[in-house]
Coordinates of all heavy atoms in Angstrom, one line a residue:
R29 N 0.8 -1.2 0.0 CA 0.0 0.0 0.0 C 0.9 1.3 0.0 O 0.5 2.3 0.5 CB -0.9 0.0 1.2 CG -1.9 -1.2 1.0 CD -2.9 -1.4 2.1 NE -3.2 -0.3 3.0 CZ -4.4 0.0 3.2 NH1 -5.4 -0.6 2.7 NH2 -4.7 1.0 4.0
Y30 N 2.0 1.1 -0.7 CA 2.9 2.3 -0.8 C 3.7 2.1 -2.1 O 3.8 1.0 -2.7 CB 3.8 2.5 0.4 CG 4.8 1.5 0.5 CD1 6.1 1.6 -0.1 CD2 4.6 0.3 1.3 CE1 7.1 0.7 0.1 CE2 5.6 -0.6 1.4 CZ 6.8 -0.5 0.8 OH 7.8 -1.4 1.0
G31 N 4.2 3.2 -2.6 CA 5.1 3.1 -3.8 C 6.0 4.3 -3.8 O 5.7 5.4 -3.4
W32 N 7.3 4.1 -4.3 CA 8.3 5.1 -4.4 C 8.0 5.9 -5.6 O 7.6 5.4 -6.7 CB 9.7 4.5 -4.5 CG 10.1 3.9 -3.2 CD1 9.9 2.6 -2.8 CD2 10.9 4.5 -2.2 NE1 10.5 2.4 -1.6 CE2 11.2 3.6 -1.2 CE3 11.5 5.8 -2.1 CZ2 11.9 3.9 -0.1 CZ3 12.2 6.1 -1.0 CH2 12.4 5.2 0.0
T33 N 8.3 7.2 -5.6 CA 8.3 8.1 -6.8 C 9.4 7.7 -7.7 O 10.3 7.0 -7.3 CB 8.4 9.6 -6.4 OG1 9.6 9.8 -5.7 CG2 7.3 10.0 -5.6
H34 N 9.3 8.1 -9.0 CA 10.2 7.7 -10.0 C 11.7 8.2 -9.7 O 12.6 7.5 -10.1 CB 9.8 8.3 -11.4 CG 9.9 9.7 -11.5 ND1 9.1 10.6 -10.8 CD2 10.7 10.5 -12.2 CE1 9.4 11.8 -11.1 NE2 10.4 11.8 -11.9
D35 N 11.8 9.2 -8.9 CA 13.1 9.7 -8.6 C 13.6 9.4 -7.1 O 14.6 9.9 -6.7 CB 13.2 11.3 -8.8 CG 12.1 12.0 -7.9 OD1 11.4 11.3 -7.1 OD2 12.0 13.2 -8.1
S36 N 12.8 8.6 -6.5 CA 13.0 8.1 -5.1 C 13.1 9.3 -4.1 O 13.7 9.1 -3.0 CB 14.4 7.3 -5.0 OG 14.2 6.2 -5.8
A37 N 12.5 10.4 -4.4 CA 12.5 11.5 -3.5 C 11.3 11.5 -2.5 O 11.4 12.1 -1.4 CB 12.4 12.8 -4.2
A38 N 10.3 10.6 -2.7 CA 9.2 10.6 -1.9 C 8.5 9.2 -2.0 O 8.8 8.4 -2.9 CB 8.2 11.7 -2.2
I39 N 7.6 8.9 -1.1 CA 6.8 7.7 -1.1 C 5.3 8.1 -1.1 O 4.9 9.0 -0.3 CB 7.1 6.8 0.2 CG1 8.6 6.4 0.2 CG2 6.2 5.6 0.2 CD1 9.0 5.8 1.5
Y40 N 4.5 7.5 -1.9 CA 3.1 7.6 -1.8 C 2.6 6.5 -1.0 O 2.9 5.3 -1.3 CB 2.4 7.6 -3.2 CG 2.7 8.9 -4.0 CD1 3.6 8.9 -5.1 CD2 2.1 10.1 -3.6 CE1 3.8 10.1 -5.8 CE2 2.4 11.3 -4.3 CZ 3.2 11.2 -5.4 OH 3.5 12.4 -6.1
A41 N 1.7 6.8 -0.1 CA 1.2 5.7 0.8 C -0.3 5.9 1.1 O -0.8 7.1 1.1 CB 1.9 5.7 2.1
L42 N -1.0 4.8 1.3 CA -2.4 4.9 1.7 C -2.5 4.8 3.2 O -1.8 3.9 3.8 CB -3.2 3.7 1.1 CG -3.3 3.8 -0.5 CD1 -4.1 2.6 -1.0 CD2 -3.9 5.1 -0.9
R43 N -3.2 5.7 3.9 CA -3.3 5.7 5.3 C -4.8 5.4 5.7 O -5.7 6.1 5.1 CB -2.9 7.0 5.9 CG -1.4 7.1 5.9 CD -1.0 8.2 6.9 NE 0.5 8.2 7.0 CZ 1.2 9.3 7.2 NH1 0.5 10.5 7.4 NH2 2.5 9.3 7.2
N44 N -5.0 4.6 6.7 CA -6.3 4.3 7.1 C -6.5 4.9 8.5 O -5.9 4.4 9.5 CB -6.6 2.8 7.1 CG -8.0 2.4 7.5 OD1 -8.8 3.2 8.0 ND2 -8.4 1.3 7.0
Q45 N -7.3 5.9 8.7 CA -7.6 6.5 10.0 C -9.1 6.5 10.1 O -9.8 7.1 9.3 CB -7.1 7.9 10.1 CG -5.6 7.9 10.2 CD -5.1 9.4 10.5 OE1 -5.4 10.2 9.6 NE2 -4.4 9.6 11.5
N46 N -9.6 5.9 11.2 CA -11.1 5.9 11.5 C -11.9 5.4 10.3 O -12.9 6.0 9.9 CB -11.5 7.3 11.9 CG -10.8 7.7 13.2 OD1 -10.4 6.9 14.0 ND2 -10.5 9.0 13.2
S47 N -11.4 4.4 9.6 CA -12.1 3.8 8.5 C -12.1 4.7 7.2 O -12.9 4.4 6.3 CB -13.5 3.4 8.8 OG -13.5 2.4 9.9
L48 N -11.4 5.7 7.2 CA -11.3 6.6 6.0 C -9.9 6.4 5.5 O -8.9 6.7 6.2 CB -11.6 8.0 6.3 CG -13.0 8.4 6.8 CD1 -13.1 9.8 7.1 CD2 -14.0 8.0 5.7
V49 N -9.7 6.0 4.2 CA -8.4 5.8 3.6 C -8.1 7.1 2.9 O -8.8 7.6 2.1 CB -8.4 4.6 2.7 CG1 -7.0 4.4 2.1 CG2 -8.8 3.4 3.5
S50 N -6.8 7.6 3.1 CA -6.4 8.8 2.4 C -5.0 8.5 1.7 O -4.3 7.6 2.1 CB -6.3 10.0 3.3 OG -5.4 9.7 4.4
L51 N -4.7 9.3 0.7 CA -3.4 9.2 0.0 C -2.5 10.3 0.6 O -2.9 11.4 0.7 CB -3.7 9.4 -1.5 CG -2.4 9.4 -2.4 CD1 -1.7 8.1 -2.4 CD2 -2.8 9.8 -3.8
C52 N -1.3 9.9 0.9 CA -0.3 10.8 1.4 C 1.0 10.7 0.6 O 1.3 9.6 0.1 CB 0.1 10.4 2.9 SG -1.3 10.7 4.0
R53 N 1.7 11.8 0.6 CA 3.1 11.8 0.0 C 4.0 12.1 1.1 O 3.9 13.1 1.8 CB 3.1 12.9 -1.1 CG 4.5 13.0 -1.7 CD 4.5 14.2 -2.7 NE 5.9 14.5 -3.2 CZ 6.4 14.1 -4.3 NH1 5.6 13.5 -5.2 NH2 7.6 14.4 -4.7
I54 N 5.0 11.3 1.3 CA 6.0 11.4 2.4 C 7.3 11.7 1.8 O 7.9 10.9 1.0 CB 6.0 10.1 3.2 CG1 4.6 9.8 3.7 CG2 7.0 10.3 4.4 CD1 4.5 8.3 4.1
A55 N 7.9 12.9 2.1 CA 9.2 13.2 1.6 C 10.3 12.4 2.3 O 10.2 12.3 3.5 CB 9.4 14.7 1.8
V56 N 11.2 11.8 1.5 CA 12.2 10.9 2.1 C 13.2 11.7 2.9 O 13.5 11.2 4.0 CB 12.8 10.1 1.0 CG1 14.0 9.3 1.5 CG2 11.8 9.2 0.3
P57 N 13.7 12.8 2.5 CA 14.8 13.4 3.3 C 14.4 13.8 4.7 O 15.1 13.6 5.7 CB 15.2 14.6 2.5 CG 14.7 14.4 1.1 CD 13.5 13.5 1.3
D58 N 13.2 14.4 4.9 CA 12.8 14.9 6.2 C 11.6 14.2 6.8 O 11.2 14.4 7.9 CB 12.5 16.4 6.1 CG 11.5 16.7 5.0 OD1 10.8 15.8 4.5 OD2 11.4 17.9 4.6
G59 N 10.9 13.3 6.1 CA 9.8 12.5 6.6 C 8.5 13.3 6.7 O 7.5 12.9 7.3
V60 N 8.4 14.5 6.1 CA 7.2 15.4 6.1 C 6.1 14.7 5.3 O 6.4 14.3 4.1 CB 7.5 16.8 5.6 CG1 6.3 17.6 5.5 CG2 8.5 17.5 6.6
S61 N 5.0 14.6 5.9 CA 3.8 13.9 5.2 C 2.8 15.0 4.8 O 2.5 15.8 5.5 CB 3.2 12.9 6.1 OG 2.1 12.3 5.5
M62 N 2.4 14.8 3.5 CA 1.3 15.7 3.0 C 0.2 14.9 2.5 O 0.3 14.0 1.7 CB 1.9 16.6 1.8 CG 0.9 17.5 1.2 SD 1.6 18.4 -0.2 CE 1.6 17.1 -1.5
R63 N -1.0 15.2 3.0 CA -2.2 14.5 2.5 C -2.7 15.1 1.2 O -2.7 16.3 1.0 CB -3.3 14.7 3.6 CG -4.6 13.9 3.2 CD -5.6 13.9 4.3 NE -6.7 13.2 3.9 CZ -7.9 13.5 4.2 NH1 -8.2 14.5 5.0 NH2 -8.9 12.7 3.8
I64 N -3.0 14.2 0.3 CA -3.5 14.6 -1.1 C -5.0 14.5 -1.0 O -5.5 13.4 -0.9 CB -2.9 13.8 -2.2 CG1 -1.3 14.0 -2.1 CG2 -3.4 14.1 -3.5 CD1 -0.6 13.0 -3.0
E65 N -5.7 15.6 -1.2 CA -7.1 15.7 -1.1 C -7.7 15.1 -2.4 O -7.4 15.5 -3.5 CB -7.6 17.1 -0.9 CG -7.1 17.7 0.4 CD -7.7 17.1 1.6 OE1 -8.8 16.6 1.6 OE2 -7.0 17.1 2.7
L66 N -8.6 14.2 -2.2 CA -9.4 13.6 -3.3 C -10.9 13.7 -2.9 O -11.5 12.7 -2.3 CB -9.0 12.2 -3.6 CG -7.6 12.0 -4.1 CD1 -7.2 10.5 -4.1 CD2 -7.5 12.6 -5.5
P67 N -11.5 14.8 -3.1 CA -12.9 15.0 -2.6 C -13.8 13.9 -3.2 O -13.6 13.5 -4.4 CB -13.3 16.4 -3.2 CG -12.0 17.1 -3.4 CD -11.0 16.0 -3.7
S68 N -14.8 13.5 -2.5 CA -15.8 12.5 -2.9 C -15.3 11.1 -2.7 O -16.1 10.1 -2.9 CB -16.3 12.7 -4.3 OG -16.8 14.0 -4.5
Y69 N -14.0 10.9 -2.5 CA -13.5 9.5 -2.3 C -13.1 9.2 -0.9 O -12.2 9.9 -0.3 CB -12.3 9.3 -3.3 CG -12.7 9.5 -4.7 CD1 -12.3 10.6 -5.4 CD2 -13.4 8.5 -5.4 CE1 -12.7 10.8 -6.8 CE2 -13.8 8.7 -6.7 CZ -13.4 9.8 -7.4 OH -13.8 10.0 -8.7
T70 N -13.6 8.2 -0.3 CA -13.2 7.8 1.1 C -12.6 6.4 1.1 O -12.1 6.0 2.2 CB -14.5 7.8 2.0 OG1 -15.5 7.0 1.4 CG2 -15.0 9.2 2.1
S71 N -12.7 5.7 0.0 CA -12.1 4.4 -0.1 C -11.1 4.3 -1.2 O -11.4 4.5 -2.4 CB -13.2 3.3 -0.3 OG -12.6 2.0 -0.4
L72 N -9.8 4.1 -0.9 CA -8.7 4.1 -1.9 C -8.0 2.8 -1.7 O -7.8 2.3 -0.6 CB -7.8 5.2 -1.7 CG -8.3 6.6 -1.6 CD1 -7.3 7.6 -1.2 CD2 -9.0 7.0 -2.8
R73 N -7.6 2.2 -2.9 CA -6.8 0.9 -2.8 C -5.9 0.8 -4.0 O -6.1 1.4 -5.1 CB -7.8 -0.2 -2.6 CG -8.6 -0.5 -3.8 CD -9.6 -1.7 -3.6 NE -10.3 -2.1 -4.8 CZ -9.9 -2.9 -5.7 NH1 -8.7 -3.4 -5.6 NH2 -10.6 -3.1 -6.8
Q74 N -5.0 -0.1 -3.9 CA -4.1 -0.6 -5.0 C -3.5 0.5 -5.8 O -3.7 0.7 -7.0 CB -5.0 -1.5 -5.9 CG -4.1 -2.4 -6.7 CD -4.9 -3.5 -7.4 OE1 -6.0 -3.8 -7.0 NE2 -4.4 -4.1 -8.5
I75 N -2.6 1.3 -5.1 CA -1.8 2.3 -5.9 C -0.7 1.7 -6.7 O -0.2 0.7 -6.4 CB -1.3 3.4 -4.9 CG1 -0.2 2.8 -4.0 CG2 -2.3 4.1 -4.2 CD1 0.5 3.9 -3.1
S76 N -0.5 2.3 -7.9 CA 0.6 1.9 -8.8 C 1.3 3.2 -9.2 O 0.7 4.0 -9.9 CB 0.0 1.2 -9.9 OG 1.0 0.8 -10.8
V77 N 2.5 3.4 -8.8 CA 3.3 4.6 -9.1 C 4.0 4.5 -10.4 O 4.6 3.4 -10.7 CB 4.2 4.9 -7.9 CG1 5.0 6.2 -8.2 CG2 3.5 5.1 -6.6
S78 N 4.0 5.5 -11.2 CA 4.7 5.5 -12.5 C 6.2 5.4 -12.3 O 6.7 6.1 -11.5 CB 4.3 6.8 -13.3 OG 5.2 6.9 -14.4
P79 N 6.9 4.6 -13.1 CA 8.3 4.5 -13.0 C 9.0 5.6 -13.7 O 10.3 5.7 -13.6 CB 8.6 3.1 -13.6 CG 7.5 2.9 -14.5 CD 6.3 3.6 -14.0
T80 N 8.3 6.4 -14.5 CA 9.0 7.4 -15.3 C 8.6 8.9 -15.1 O 9.2 9.8 -15.6 CB 8.7 7.1 -16.8 OG1 7.3 7.2 -17.0 CG2 9.3 5.8 -17.2
R81 N 7.5 9.1 -14.3 CA 7.1 10.5 -14.1 C 6.3 10.5 -12.7 O 6.0 9.5 -12.1 CB 6.2 11.0 -15.2 CG 5.0 10.1 -15.5 CD 4.2 10.6 -16.7 NE 3.4 11.8 -16.3 CZ 3.5 12.9 -17.0 NH1 4.2 13.0 -18.0 NH2 2.8 14.0 -16.6
D82 N 6.0 11.7 -12.3 CA 5.3 11.9 -11.0 C 3.8 11.8 -11.2 O 3.1 12.8 -11.3 CB 5.7 13.3 -10.4 CG 5.3 13.3 -8.9 OD1 5.0 12.3 -8.3 OD2 5.4 14.4 -8.3
A83 N 3.4 10.5 -11.3 CA 2.0 10.2 -11.5 C 1.7 8.8 -10.9 O 2.6 8.1 -10.6 CB 1.7 10.2 -13.0
L84 N 0.4 8.6 -10.6 CA 0.1 7.2 -10.1 C -1.4 6.9 -10.5 O -2.1 7.8 -10.8 CB 0.3 7.1 -8.6 CG -0.5 8.0 -7.6 CD1 -1.9 7.4 -7.3 CD2 0.2 8.2 -6.3
A85 N -1.7 5.7 -10.4 CA -3.1 5.2 -10.6 C -3.5 4.5 -9.4 O -2.7 3.9 -8.6 CB -3.1 4.3 -11.8
L86 N -4.8 4.5 -9.1 CA -5.4 3.8 -8.0 C -6.9 3.6 -8.2 O -7.5 4.2 -9.1 CB -5.1 4.6 -6.7 CG -5.6 6.0 -6.6 CD1 -7.1 6.1 -6.2 CD2 -4.8 6.7 -5.5
F87 N -7.5 2.7 -7.4 CA -8.9 2.5 -7.4 C -9.5 3.4 -6.3 O -9.0 3.4 -5.1 CB -9.3 1.1 -7.2 CG -9.0 0.2 -8.4 CD1 -7.8 -0.6 -8.4 CD2 -9.8 0.3 -9.5 CE1 -7.5 -1.3 -9.5 CE2 -9.5 -0.5 -10.7 CZ -8.3 -1.3 -10.6
A88 N -10.6 4.1 -6.5 CA -11.2 5.0 -5.5 C -12.7 4.9 -5.6 O -13.3 4.7 -6.7 CB -10.8 6.4 -5.8
A89 N -13.4 5.0 -4.4 CA -14.8 5.0 -4.3 C -15.2 5.9 -3.2 O -14.4 6.3 -2.3 CB -15.3 3.6 -4.1
G90 N -16.5 6.3 -3.2 CA -17.0 7.1 -2.1 C -18.4 6.7 -1.8 O -19.0 5.9 -2.5
P91 N -19.0 7.4 -0.8 CA -20.4 7.0 -0.4 C -21.4 7.1 -1.6 O -22.3 6.3 -1.7 CB -20.7 8.0 0.7 CG -19.4 8.5 1.1 CD -18.5 8.4 0.0
T92 N -21.2 8.1 -2.5 CA -22.1 8.2 -3.6 C -21.4 8.1 -5.0 O -22.0 8.3 -6.0 CB -22.9 9.6 -3.6 OG1 -21.9 10.6 -3.6 CG2 -23.7 9.7 -2.3
T93 N -20.2 7.7 -4.9 CA -19.4 7.5 -6.1 C -18.9 6.1 -6.3 O -18.2 5.5 -5.4 CB -18.1 8.4 -6.0 OG1 -18.5 9.7 -5.8 CG2 -17.4 8.4 -7.4
P94 N -19.4 5.4 -7.3 CA -18.9 4.0 -7.5 C -17.4 3.9 -7.7 O -16.8 4.9 -8.2 CB -19.7 3.5 -8.7 CG -20.3 4.7 -9.4 CD -20.2 5.8 -8.4
E95 N -16.9 2.7 -7.4 CA -15.4 2.5 -7.6 C -15.0 2.7 -9.1 O -15.7 2.3 -10.0 CB -15.0 1.1 -7.2 CG -13.5 1.0 -7.2 CD -13.0 -0.3 -6.6 OE1 -13.2 -1.4 -7.2 OE2 -12.4 -0.3 -5.5
R96 N -13.9 3.4 -9.2 CA -13.3 3.7 -10.5 C -11.8 3.8 -10.5 O -11.3 4.0 -9.4 CB -13.9 4.9 -11.2 CG -13.6 6.2 -10.3 CD -14.4 7.4 -10.8 NE -15.8 7.1 -10.6 CZ -16.8 7.9 -11.0 NH1 -16.5 9.1 -11.5 NH2 -18.0 7.7 -10.8
A97 N -11.2 3.6 -11.6 CA -9.7 3.8 -11.6 C -9.4 5.3 -11.9 O -10.1 5.9 -12.7 CB -9.1 2.9 -12.7
L98 N -8.5 5.8 -11.1 CA -8.1 7.2 -11.2 C -6.7 7.3 -11.7 O -5.8 6.5 -11.2 CB -8.3 8.0 -9.9 CG -9.7 8.1 -9.3 CD1 -9.6 9.0 -8.1 CD2 -10.7 8.7 -10.3
L99 N -6.3 8.3 -12.5 CA -5.0 8.6 -12.8 C -4.7 10.0 -12.2 O -5.4 10.9 -12.6 CB -4.7 8.6 -14.3 CG -3.4 9.1 -14.8 CD1 -2.3 8.2 -14.3 CD2 -3.4 9.2 -16.3
L100 N -3.7 10.1 -11.4 CA -3.3 11.4 -10.8 C -2.0 11.8 -11.4 O -1.0 11.1 -11.2 CB -3.2 11.2 -9.3 CG -4.5 11.2 -8.5 CD1 -5.2 9.9 -8.7 CD2 -4.2 11.4 -7.0
D101 N -2.0 12.9 -12.1 CA -0.8 13.4 -12.7 C -0.3 14.6 -11.9 O -0.8 15.7 -12.0 CB -1.0 13.8 -14.1 CG 0.2 14.2 -14.9 OD1 1.3 14.4 -14.3 OD2 0.1 14.4 -16.1
F102 N 0.8 14.4 -11.1 CA 1.3 15.5 -10.2 C 2.2 16.5 -11.0 O 2.6 17.5 -10.4 CB 2.0 14.9 -9.0 CG 1.1 14.0 -8.2 CD1 1.2 12.6 -8.3 CD2 0.2 14.6 -7.3 CE1 0.4 11.8 -7.6 CE2 -0.6 13.8 -6.5 CZ -0.5 12.4 -6.7
E103 N 2.5 16.2 -12.2 CA 3.3 17.1 -13.0 C 2.5 18.1 -13.7 O 3.0 19.2 -14.1 CB 4.2 16.3 -14.0 CG 5.2 15.5 -13.4 CD 6.1 14.7 -14.4 OE1 5.9 14.9 -15.6 OE2 7.0 14.1 -13.9
A104 N 1.2 17.9 -13.7 CA 0.2 18.9 -14.3 C -0.1 19.9 -13.2 O -0.1 19.6 -12.0 CB -1.1 18.2 -14.7
A105 N -0.3 21.2 -13.6 CA -0.6 22.2 -12.7 C -1.9 22.9 -13.1 O -2.0 23.4 -14.2 CB 0.5 23.3 -12.6
P106 N -3.0 22.8 -12.4 CA -3.1 22.1 -11.1 C -3.2 20.6 -11.3 O -3.2 20.1 -12.4 CB -4.5 22.6 -10.5 CG -5.3 22.9 -11.7 CD -4.3 23.4 -12.8
L107 N -3.2 19.9 -10.2 CA -3.2 18.4 -10.2 C -4.3 17.9 -11.1 O -5.5 18.4 -11.0 CB -3.4 17.9 -8.8 CG -3.7 16.3 -8.6 CD1 -2.5 15.5 -9.1 CD2 -4.1 16.0 -7.2
E108 N -4.0 17.0 -12.0 CA -5.0 16.5 -12.9 C -5.4 15.1 -12.4 O -4.6 14.2 -12.2 CB -4.4 16.3 -14.3 CG -5.3 15.8 -15.3 CD -4.8 15.8 -16.7 OE1 -3.8 16.5 -17.0 OE2 -5.3 15.0 -17.5
V109 N -6.7 14.9 -12.2 CA -7.3 13.7 -11.8 C -8.2 13.2 -12.9 O -9.2 13.9 -13.2 CB -8.1 13.8 -10.5 CG1 -8.7 12.4 -10.1 CG2 -7.2 14.3 -9.3
R110 N -7.9 12.1 -13.5 CA -8.7 11.6 -14.7 C -9.3 10.2 -14.3 O -8.6 9.4 -13.7 CB -7.8 11.5 -15.9 CG -7.3 12.8 -16.4 CD -6.4 12.7 -17.6 NE -6.8 11.7 -18.5 CZ -6.0 11.1 -19.3 NH1 -4.7 11.4 -19.4 NH2 -6.4 10.2 -20.2
D111 N -10.5 10.0 -14.8 CA -11.1 8.7 -14.6 C -11.6 8.1 -15.9 O -12.5 7.3 -16.0 CB -12.2 8.7 -13.6 CG -13.4 9.6 -14.0 OD1 -13.3 10.2 -15.1 OD2 -14.4 9.7 -13.3
D112 N -11.0 8.6 -17.0 CA -11.5 8.1 -18.4 C -10.5 7.1 -19.0 O -9.4 6.9 -18.6 CB -11.6 9.3 -19.3 CG -10.4 10.1 -19.4 OD1 -9.9 10.6 -18.4 OD2 -10.0 10.4 -20.6

């Protein structure tokens, strides 16, 4: 439930707190953790980090949102979240 970024500068991890799963990016040098907001999604699973760029795919669902595969591109500004 974690994966290294393509440059090994950070780790993406899924955290489960009070039955809500969130996606976090943890910087390797200092251990600072940043939560990545994904509105409408409370259940995340099976992350797969890109080996060539700062992007990842995962399965996500929410109380009113059926499960779908998401692609998160962190190199896009602002963050691009695609489900197509």
